[in-house]
Amino acid sequence: MAGGLVLTGCGQPAVQAPEAVPDKAASQSSTEKPMITPANWPLQQPPIARSQAIEDKIKALLAQMSPEQKVGQIIQADIASVTPKQVRDYYLGSVLNGGNSAPGRDNRAGAAAWLELADAFWQASTDTSDGRPYIPVMWGTDAVHGHSNVKGATIFPHNIGLGAMREPELMREIGRVTAVEMQVTGLDWTFAPTIAVVRDDRWGRTYESYGEDPQLVASYAPHILQGIQGVPGSADFLKGQHMLATVKHFLGDGGTIDGKDQGDNQHSEAELRDLHGAPYYTAIAAGARVVMASYNSWFGEKMHGYRPMLNDVLVERMGFDGFVVGDWNGHGQVKGCTPTDCANSLNGGLDMFMAPDSWEKLYQNTLAQVKDGRISAERLDEAVSRVLRIKAEMGLFEQVKPSERPLAGRYELLGSSEHRALARQAARKSLVLLKNNQQLLPLKAGSKVLVAGDAADHIGKQSGGWTLSWQGSGNKNTDFPNGESIYAGIKQAVEMGGGKVELSENGRFTDKPDVAVVVFGEEPYAEFVGDRSHLAFDDGRALQTLTELKALGIPTVSVFISGRPLWVNPELNQSDAFVAAFLPGSEGGAVADLLVRSPEGEIRHDFQGKLSFSWPAKATGELLNYGDQNYQPLFAYGYGLSYSDKTEVAKLSEESGISADQVLNFSRYLHAGKAVNPWQLQLLDKGEVTVVTEPLQKSADGAIEVAATDRLQQEDSVLLTFHKDAAVVLNHAQGVSLDLSRQANGDMTLELEYQVVAMTQAPDAAAKVRVGMNCGDNCKSSLDFTSYFSSMSGKGWQSLKIPLRCFSQANTTFDLTKISQPLVLEATAGFKLQLAKVRLAENEGQGQCGN
Ligand code: BGC
Ligand code: BGC
């Protein structure tokens, strides 16, 4: 078959033992800078032999392509920053939609809009009327838990839950279904799976990982890959129902110091190979054709320009024969580079730049570097060939336009009942039962059940980050036409057995229940926004609810939604049963499948999930991984009860082990009306500072009063009453400052959740409300929001989002790398504001800079 692929052997590539293994193997980390010795890495033969027909085609294309066309081929632009016409004018080889980019800049655009845009890009790229060679563009997306950017798609559990399932074979079906749903909208390529081995759970991307053990991740990689791509050597490899996948992020993303996103990995070479490298060997053997370079560095060497890894190890030792794509402007972090200028990255082994908004200048600079020899013709041709080779393997040269492909436009497949049943099965298998004292679970279907907690009826929260938007915040149940909340599932199961369900977010009920299920957990986040300095779960609202219910003698079941194991000992103590649900996705009904008996009293499904991350006994965030020498988890890797276990979990210590100075909360400053450790709420009155420590307090000269006030729960907001000019400030208790420049680049905003209770103008002066930030002494920026707040007076609870860039725009000397006070709210007499939350949140188009 012309253009077909040939397997060497029977699909199992030969792996040879490394020629030498460094003697001091698994030392935790050393400071002296080691070197990569490729011979230390096992030699694996490329699993897929090259096809002569494809090689001939590549050669013919290269002979026809101008330098302009070649440079365009290796650049990928974001659909928010490029038009179909520009794709044609600049010969771009690929486009992507970033987490917050969607057709028409609408994250909730319908599937038809995606397909229409896919056609537009494809048509622009294939118009050969000027004599250019025919090379279709390809569109990549982060379909990381289902086709998760598209409204109506099936949302699978995030990888952390899938790892707990311990059923790698089910990944084949999940991969296939994800590929099918992507093709309904005409897309070609997904930036998944993440095969990071996460060693520090403070990393904001922990949930994107199957687990902390390299063997577990290595066992999952081939199944998910072949689910998406098909099996190398078969006729539908990368075709038909299948498509192109990416393994990411190469290499060492899960092992950075302190779990810092985009940080530095200082594992020894042997650890880099054995911990982080292991899944790449199995993935490449299973047919991985794209590897995404990682933002992280290894002893200061950024992967995006590090030839010893991108070429000498990946290509020469691991047998990789596809192309290396960069991460979002990741090349810009290489020494001597910017997002628009980086020959070092291409010379270091990158084959395609992900240059979302920087593509145009990058194109010009790269072209100049090709012309003056800073990039050699050989290197350029090699990169272009690698991209063309994969396009040929995918059959893109023979493919019709996106909307005419067999699965395109079959919108009924998005969130179809078959796909949802698979997602529900996966969610069910991924839940881990941590505690079930006196065998409270499963519940009798005829019971009176109270369902409480802010995640109970919240499909957005149960789905987490990378859902419709980048951060996954701001999703409502109506954004999931094909989803079900955990509450809805429990209601259905209990009512079927003749029982009753009451939903109450704060746990206050009208009818005393037999049992309460409290669903709570982390707010959605993605990437660095989720980085933390400790592992304490620090939202006390569920604890309050659980404690109140226990005091009334009501048995409690906790369902905990989180992207990682967190220290929840106080919540565990107030729960008779406790389920770690991770981020189960759109099929909340899975929870009831396990928790509620059938009307006949049978157990409908037992728990199968086993922890794929060790659960910490302390909140300190100290490294805790299966196989450690001094391994003292609360619940070990592999722990998970089933209904036949009679294990009783005794009362746990509530000593978290962290003190305020170990805590650095980057993105949450005020939560449920209270300053989040280490932030403190201060009142500023005529230059005098009063730190708020009591439920009722006044500033030095009485200009401002604060009162802890109820919104939904006891004292879950703070009422600020201004009697004269004064300011309310959020200040770091230890005087540490924050670098928010990365957040500003990602267009994050400062969000206030508030209601204006009153705004009357004093007779002697005009009203004024300003929102600002401080960056140390005499460094600040403040924006006028007077008319904004006055228009919101009496309108109930609102969210105000101020893009961080507004503060820099208002004052060019403002320094986002040194934020000491993320909120300075100045107001005049008569302003009465009730405030619940102050935090960083993503901009989904609502951001505003003030009057
Ligand atoms: C992430 C990648 C993702 C890419 C495109 C990056 O910031 O690190 O995992 O694939 O953006 O959205
Ligand atoms: C994009 C994401 C990307 C991130 C990187 C966001 O604006 O939507 O896809 O991963 O920026 O900073």
Side-chain angles (χ1 to χ4, degrees):
M1 187 189 68
L5 302 164
V6 192
L7 276 186
T8 51
C10 53
Q12 284 306 312
V15 177
Q16 281 172 28
E19 285 147 32
V21 179
D23 35 4
K24 53 172 181 30
S27 66
Q28 266 295 335
S29 69
S30 91
T31 39
E32 124 208 2
K33 185 168 173 165
M35 271 179 22
I36 293 291
T37 308
N40 289 338
W41 298 67
L43 182 66
Q44 174 167 269
Q45 294 307 321
I48 301 171
R50 289 194 181 166
S51 122
Q52 196 50 53
I54 290 179
E55 295 314 303
D56 293 345
K57 177 164 186 83
I58 295 171
K59 223 168 145 196
L61 283 170
L62 282 179
Q64 293 172 56
M65 288 169 84
S66 64
E68 286 75 9
Q69 290 165 356
K70 290 178 181 175
V71 169
Q73 196 53 225
I74 58 166
I75 291 182
Q76 182 180 55
D78 186 278
I79 62 163
S81 311
V82 75
T83 61
K85 179 171 183 307
Q86 288 171 319
V87 162
R88 179 177 148 73
D89 292 349
Y90 290 84
Y91 313 99
L92 299 186
S94 180
V95 294
L96 87 148
N97 67 286
N100 268 339
S101 311
R105 299 214 134 215
D106 175 7
N107 284 338
R108 285 145 191 96
W114 289 80
L115 186 55
E116 203 180 303
L117 189 59
D119 268 357
F121 282 120
W122 185 90
Q123 261 157 343
S125 71
T126 54
D127 173 359
T128 54
S129 54
D130 61 357
R132 67 176 67 198
Y134 178 92
I135 310 176
V137 70
M138 58 179 171
W139 180 339
T141 190
D142 291 285
V144 298
H145 59 148
H147 192 11
S148 45
N149 282 278
V150 175
K151 185 168 171 177
T154 307
I155 306 294
F156 288 94
H158 269 297
N159 288 352
I160 189 169
L162 298 176
M165 178 173 88
R166 293 298 201 286
E167 200 177 313
E169 303 75 27
L170 197 63
M171 300 308 297
R172 285 188 183 258
E173 271 302 281
I174 293 177
R176 186 189 63 79
V177 163
T178 305
V180 164
E181 294 203 7
M182 273 189 284
Q183 290 180 61
V184 170
T185 60
L187 273 52
D188 307 290
W189 172 18
T190 172
F191 307 126
T194 298
I195 55 171
V197 175
V198 177
R199 307 296 286 177
D200 190 324
D201 304 354
R202 294 172 298 178
W203 189 31
R205 307 191 77 159
T206 300
Y207 66 81
E208 295 186 56
S209 163
Y210 297 113
E212 68 191 27
D213 178 36
Q215 262 53 61
L216 176 80
V217 181
S219 75
Y220 268 64
H223 295 285
I224 176 68
L225 263 173
Q226 296 190 346
I228 299 168
Q229 300 197 141
V231 179
S234 60
D236 65 352
F237 180 55
L238 304 175
K239 297 188 187 91
Q241 301 213 330
H242 298 292
M243 59 196 303
L244 186 62
T246 308
V247 284
K248 68 187 190 183
H249 310 81
F250 187 81
L251 185 70
D253 51 354
T256 57
I257 295 174
D258 296 335
K260 191 172 181 324
D261 191 45
Q262 311 189 3
D264 193 33
N265 181 315
Q266 294 197 353
H267 283 143
S268 68
E269 184 191 21
E271 287 171 306
L272 193 62
R273 179 191 64 207
D274 300 340
L275 291 178
H276 304 288
Y280 284 88
Y281 275 97
T282 58
I284 290 166
R289 300 317 256 159
V290 185
V291 166
M292 187 183 287
S294 185
Y295 277 120
N296 71 267
S297 50
W298 186 61
F299 289 93
E301 299 283 355
K302 281 282 176 186
M303 287 293 146
H304 273 73
Y306 195 42
R307 203 169 163 84
M309 286 306 304
L310 295 190
N311 182 73
D312 307 352
V313 167
L314 181 63
V315 177
E316 307 291 340
R317 303 299 296 182
M318 293 183 162
F320 177 64
D321 195 30
F323 70 88
V324 179
V325 68
D327 202 342
W328 186 275
N329 278 332
H331 55 273
Q333 298 186 10
V334 173
K335 236 174 264 148
C337 288
T338 68
T340 55
D341 183 348
C342 193
N344 287 348
S345 198
L346 201 68
N347 290 333
L350 192 88
D351 299 310
M352 182 187 278
F353 290 103
M354 187 185 285
D357 47 353
S358 48
W359 62 269
E360 191 170 0
K361 288 221 168 71
L362 180 74
Y363 170 91
Q364 281 149 2
N365 287 326
T366 307
L367 187 61
Q369 288 151 356
V370 163
K371 291 191 169 162
D372 69 17
R374 276 174 289 168
I375 295 169
S376 69
E378 293 71 37
R379 176 74 267 267
L380 178 65
D381 281 1
E382 181 181 62
V384 175
S385 307
R386 288 176 177 174
V387 172
L388 294 177
R389 184 169 297 120
I390 303 310
K391 286 189 173 179
E393 289 183 4
M394 293 164 75
L396 283 191
F397 291 97
E398 296 82 44
Q399 193 52 289
V400 290
K401 72 174 178 186
S403 62
E404 285 168 3
R405 300 177 191 170
L407 294 164
R410 293 193 47 198
Y411 302 121
E412 74 282 3
L413 291 173
L414 287 178
S416 71
S417 52
E418 182 216 333
H419 295 177
R420 290 184 60 189
L422 177 67
R424 184 164 177 155
Q425 183 192 357
R428 200 156 61 217
K429 291 176 168 173
S430 69
L431 267 48
V432 182
L433 182 61
L434 298 181
K435 178 176 179 180
N436 192 19
N437 283 8
Q438 266 123 54
Q439 306 215 272
L440 174 61
L441 293 177
L443 306 175
K444 284 204 263 332
S447 318
K448 242 198 279 175
V449 182
L450 171 71
V451 179
D454 70 340
D457 194 23
H458 198 330
I459 308 175
K461 194 158 171 172
Q462 81 202 26
S463 298
W466 296 109
T467 308
L468 300 180
S469 64
W470 177 36
Q471 295 295 315
S473 48
N475 288 327
K476 298 187 202 63
N477 285 356
T478 48
D479 295 325
F480 300 91
N482 302 315
E484 189 180 27
S485 74
I486 292 172
Y487 154 70
I490 295 177
K491 180 173 156 70
Q492 210 210 2
V494 170
E495 287 178 353
M496 224 164 58
K500 275 215 238 149
V501 176
E502 179 175 352
L503 174 70
S504 158
E505 185 170 327
N506 64 12
R508 314 264 158 84
F509 49 79
T510 50
D511 191 7
K512 189 170 178 189
D514 302 325
V515 60
V517 179
V518 185
V519 191
F520 63 99
E522 287 189 293
E523 297 293 332
Y525 52 77
E527 299 190 51
F528 50 80
V529 179
D531 283 1
R532 313 184 45 142
S533 59
H534 62 90
L535 289 180
F537 176 63
D538 51 11
D539 177 349
R541 291 174 299 161
L543 182 60
Q544 188 186 332
T545 302
L546 288 164
T547 310
E548 285 173 10
L549 293 166
K550 286 295 284 178
L552 297 170
I554 298 165
T556 51
V557 179
S558 282
V559 177
F560 186 54
I561 302 292
S562 73
R564 57 189 138 209
L566 286 173
W567 186 79
V568 281
N569 285 11
E571 285 84 357
L572 273 158
N573 284 338
Q574 295 302 325
S575 310
D576 297 291
F578 196 103
V579 177
F582 301 107
L583 298 164
S586 59
E587 302 316 307
V591 174
D593 289 347
L594 292 159
L595 260 49
V596 185
R597 290 179 187 270
S598 72
E600 297 74 38
E602 305 289 321
I603 293 178
R604 295 190 301 165
H605 293 276
D606 199 352
F607 280 87
Q608 159 174 337
K610 305 283 176 214
L611 293 177
S612 62
F613 283 91
S614 308
W615 202 280
K618 288 272 178 229
T620 48
E622 253 161 55
L623 293 186
L624 173 71
N625 290 298
Y626 176 58
D628 285 355
Q629 280 193 341
N630 254 320
Y631 186 58
Q632 287 180 322
L634 178 64
F635 300 114
Y637 179 87
Y639 175 90
L641 302 175
S642 66
Y643 283 142
S644 50
D645 290 310
K646 305 266 181 309
T647 312
E648 293 287 300
V649 175
K651 187 163 192 290
L652 303 167
S653 155
E654 298 195 5
E655 284 295 315
S656 71
I658 49 170
S659 58
D661 60 352
Q662 285 174 289
V663 178
L664 184 63
N665 213 315
F666 261 102
S667 55
R668 294 161 71 232
Y669 311 120
L670 185 101
H671 187 69
K674 280 159 217 73
V676 177
N677 206 357
W679 302 99
Q680 49 180 216
L681 192 65
Q682 298 184 339
L683 309 179
L684 198 64
D685 186 358
K686 293 195 177 141
E688 262 194 72
V689 174
T690 309
V691 179
V692 177
T693 51
E694 306 296 325
L696 267 179
Q697 246 173 302
K698 265 191 183 152
S699 61
D701 196 38
I704 176 167
E705 256 178 274
V706 290
T709 313
D710 295 0
R711 178 185 174 192
L712 286 175
Q713 267 173 312
Q714 200 182 335
E715 300 185 356
D716 61 354
S717 64
V718 61
L719 182 66
L720 308 165
T721 308
F722 289 80
H723 298 297
K724 290 185 211 145
D725 275 18
V728 173
V729 176
L730 280 162
N731 181 64
H732 193 285
Q734 285 80 36
V736 175
S737 65
L738 294 184
D739 178 355
L740 296 184
S741 53
R742 285 190 303 169
Q743 283 77 351
N745 278 335
D747 200 23
M748 298 290 291
T749 66
L750 179 73
E751 182 185 29
L752 276 64
E753 213 173 283
Y754 72 91
Q755 76 169 328
V756 179
V757 178
M759 189 158 170
T760 52
Q761 196 173 318
D764 53 335
K768 178 195 81 179
V769 185
R770 300 185 71 89
V771 183
M773 280 193 174
N774 277 353
C775 41
D777 295 341
N778 300 321
C779 173
K780 65 173 194 178
S781 178
S782 123
L783 305 165
D784 187 356
F785 275 95
T786 314
S787 46
Y788 166 81
F789 279 112
S790 94
S791 73
M792 289 300 171
S793 186
K795 295 231 172 97
W797 284 92
Q798 307 288 334
S799 137
L800 165 63
K801 288 184 174 178
I802 311 173
L804 296 176
R805 62 178 150 75
C806 301
F807 296 105
S808 320
Q809 281 159 6
N811 172 6
T812 48
T813 63
F814 183 69
D815 188 351
L816 270 167
T817 66
K818 294 197 179 65
I819 300 302
S820 50
Q821 297 178 327
L823 176 75
V824 180
L825 176 75
E826 298 167 88
T828 43
F831 187 51
K832 226 173 166 181
L833 185 79
Q834 196 179 350
L835 195 58
K837 282 185 196 168
V838 180
R839 60 171 187 174
L840 295 186
E842 72 194 321
N843 186 1
E844 288 194 73
Q846 326 91 316
Q848 41 189 319
C849 288
N851 297 348

